[in-house]
Amino acid sequence: MKTAIAFTLNRKACTVDVAATDRLIDVLRERLATTASKKACGIGRCGACMVLMNGLPTNACLLMMWQVDGAEIITSEGLVEDAEAAYVRQGLIEENAFQCGYCAPGFTVTLTALLSATKAPTEAEIRMALEGNLCRCTGYHSIVRGALRAVELKGQAAAASK
């Protein structure tokens, strides 16, 4: 039985006819061609499928479509024009944070949410925010350095605008 689920995806209204028990990650990738969120562990432990749901980082593999009805979903693709995401991307690039990049969209979503919610997060706050994201290629040092660089870039931009 199909149900019409209406939500906002990357700032655009979206309605899909799906089984209410379909998972968001599957609908994003297979029906809506938003493939930055990766389908990896499938049990909410790796963060590769991270999206923002109503502004909060959430594992898309754990969301049933009935839970998404009326929600605002932002994927990594939807962060293109987001100021905090720009700082995050630049910081991660400058610190050569990733090797293969499979996990990068999930880390970017999580760090963008952190920078949006916290003016200047500390290294401890960054590490805590990233507890739900796994990377099998790095030792996390470059990712944390990239996040700290993003905080620095955000601070520089704020100082320059005064």
Side-chain angles (χ1 to χ4, degrees), residues 52-82:
L52 296 178
M53 180 172 171
N54 299 327
L56 299 174
T58 309
N59 292 300
C61 71
L62 297 180
L63 287 172
M64 300 296 111
M65 286 306 294
W66 66 267
Q67 295 173 292
V68 175
D69 199 25
E72 178 186 31
I73 302 294
I74 304 287
T75 66
S76 185
E77 292 98 336
L79 295 175
V80 172
E81 296 177 14
D82 186 281

